[in-house]
Amino acid sequence: MKIAAVRGFRDILPEESALWQVLESHARTSFAAYGFSEIIVPVLEKTELFARAIGETTDIVEKEMYTFIDRDESSLTLRPEGTASVIRAYIEHSLNHKEPVSKLFYIGPMFRRERPQKGRYRQFHQIGAEILGRDDPLIDAELLLMLNDLFQALQLDVSVDVNSLGCSECRPRFRESLRAFGESKLAQLCENCHNRLHRNPLRILDCKEPGCRQATVDAPVITDFLCDLCRQHFAKVQGYLQQENIAITVNPRLVRGLDYYCRTSFEIIAHGLGSQNAVCGGGRYDGLVEQLGGPAVPGIGFAIGVERLVMLLQAQERYLSNAPDVFIAPLGEAAEGRAFSLARRMRQEGYRVELEGGGRGLKAQMRRADKLNARHVLILGENELNAGKGTVRDMQTKTDRPMAVDLTLPAPAMINVIRNVND
Ligand code: AMP
């Protein structure tokens, strides 16, 4: 009997992994420009870390974690998110003594036992970043700016929802007001929201049930409850973004699934993904480092869902091409030897080169070049070898330029000639 992968866990095949590389390399470039360094943390942590960081009453901790008892009786969990581990490492290695501000990013798999569907898996991947050590609005704006740069570089059309969740001073008043409001609408709220009202009333704003959405249309909004400091902080974040012409939508209903957020919180929504359309979520978590036994250091971060972004990239034709820059078709043994070193020289310069040969005839090689969507083929037959010049075939126009390329040219110059011949 065949053995299939575990439900919600998937293989990423070469066609898709090529797009992961596109995403990852753009992310690394943006992160480097803003001064972030990579941190690589384990996928397995003590269960207690997530219970304390994410919050006992969140969906993740209550029912979605992959937790098991190890042979020494300790309870371990496959990480459902990255922030808790980064902070654990930050505290464990006293990174705050090394630098006043730590800008860290991570890339890797996360595990949540959710109901799998398109864009939602039990093993999925996140690219995340955290800034620890600064709580001024400039930092929040900078993080959003970096995300904006990244999405722009990927040419993806997204909208950014931003809210302020207040602080420990002002949020309790909002929570109580929301709870009272919910109590007055009990009959219209779903069972889940009845529970939420007692444990974490903010989450009723996040419920997807149409009845609950309807019932909470007139719910109190956090923006009316913010204390002066939170209000000023939020206004400044918006001011910096306006200054740079970054479009955001202030969405007072935005709350997040994890308990640790305060002040600036945000979500990035993509168009064309169906119901699982959030591609990035994040926000400020000023008390969290202390709560996990570390120094009183503020923090802010985000996590991007790799699978969902890759789905967006897949929908774009320009990312689909894995066509070689040049396809080399040698005819005969001597030509194959020459093609072998030509291909190497070009590849060393970073060009994608397909080399056929293997004693195959011109026709068979052209069929293969077509299949790979090669635009240009460099043909090396006996005449070409004698002249030291290759023939270029433009596969789109099906025309040849006999002896067009001097085979002694440096690789980049050769590629230029090959590409320009019939363009
Ligand atoms: P969160 O850590 O819940 O704030 O999620 C941040 C981002 O990770 C989301 O916006 C999604 O893009 C992605 N994500 C979260 N859960 C899943 C999942 N089960 N499958 C795929 N992507 C996910």
Side-chain angles (χ1 to χ4, degrees), residues 341-361:
S341 26
L342 274 180
R344 175 168 185 234
R345 269 169 49 202
M346 292 176 182
R347 286 167 176 158
Q348 278 175 326
E349 296 289 335
Y351 296 101
R352 205 178 319 177
V353 179
E354 275 297 325
L355 170 61
E356 193 71 358
R360 306 179 75 203

Side-chain angles (χ1 to χ4, degrees), residues 60 80-81 112 114 119-126 256 258 261 267-268 278-282 303-308:
I60 295 179
E81 57 105 57
R112 294 183 197 170
E114 298 189 83
R120 190 159 77 192
Y121 311 102
R122 290 179 169 178
Q123 175 178 320
F124 60 99
H125 295 72
Q126 288 185 335
R256 310 260 313 120
L258 293 71
Y261 289 110
E267 200 153 71
I268 301 185
V279 289
C280 172
I304 294 172
V306 175
E307 281 80 356
R308 293 184 195 174

Side-chain angles (χ1 to χ4, degrees), residues 251-290:
N251 175 4
R253 291 181 66 96
L254 175 80
V255 294
R256 310 260 313 120
L258 293 71
D259 272 355
Y260 53 56
Y261 289 110
C262 63
R263 290 197 166 168
T264 315
S265 302
F266 50 90
E267 200 153 71
I268 301 185
I269 307 293
H271 311 287
L273 273 184
S275 65
Q276 301 303 311
N277 60 359
V279 289
C280 172
R284 187 158 274 294
Y285 46 79
D286 288 346
L288 185 60
V289 181
E290 217 175 350

Side-chain angles (χ1 to χ4, degrees), residues 154-189:
L154 292 165
Q155 295 181 43
L156 294 177
D157 185 21
V158 293
S159 22
V160 184
D161 276 16
V162 185
N163 192 16
S164 173
L165 293 181
C167 62
S168 53
E169 285 290 309
C170 51
R171 196 166 32 178
R173 281 187 291 125
F174 172 61
R175 189 184 291 138
E176 281 325 302
S177 159
L178 200 56
R179 178 174 287 148
F181 173 85
E183 298 286 354
S184 73
K185 300 272 180 185
L186 265 190
Q188 286 140 275
L189 295 178

